[in-house]
Amino acid sequence: QGWRRPSGPIGVDRATSSQFASGLALSACGLDFPLELEWRGESVSDGYWAMTVELCRKAGLELRASSFGISIPAHQHPRAG
């Protein structure tokens, strides 16, 4: 049924993998609400997460990162090229 607006930040445990965080970030395009991800646990794959962030930014998406997590503003659409 697609996305439903979460009541708060989505807790993401990156102690095993960054794939879940990457999947959430990549699927947040076009949401009509901002998406907040809150980091839990120590990251084991910062390199893969950095690739996700770079891909999103190259596609024209804004990600607001902090040491606590990431915020993805609403109404974003990737651009080609």
Side-chain angles (χ1 to χ4, degrees):
Q1 293 183 357
W3 278 97
R4 287 183 286 164
R5 186 179 192 135
S7 60
I10 297 173
V12 177
D13 184 356
R14 298 187 311 157
T16 304
S17 171
S18 67
Q19 290 179 356
F20 185 67
S22 293
L24 290 172
L26 293 170
S27 69
C29 297
L31 291 179
D32 62 353
F33 55 85
L35 185 65
E36 304 271 339
L37 305 181
E38 184 177 274
W39 302 147
R40 298 196 179 137
E42 294 296 319
S43 176
V44 296
S45 53
D46 280 334
Y48 288 105
W49 175 247
M51 285 192 297
T52 298
V53 170
E54 182 67 19
L55 175 67
C56 288
R57 289 189 172 144
K58 282 186 176 187
L61 303 174
E62 180 184 354
L63 304 175
R64 299 175 186 156
S66 75
S67 59
F68 302 106
I70 194 160
S71 173
I72 303 167
H75 305 291
Q76 295 196 69
H77 299 282
R79 65 175 186 260

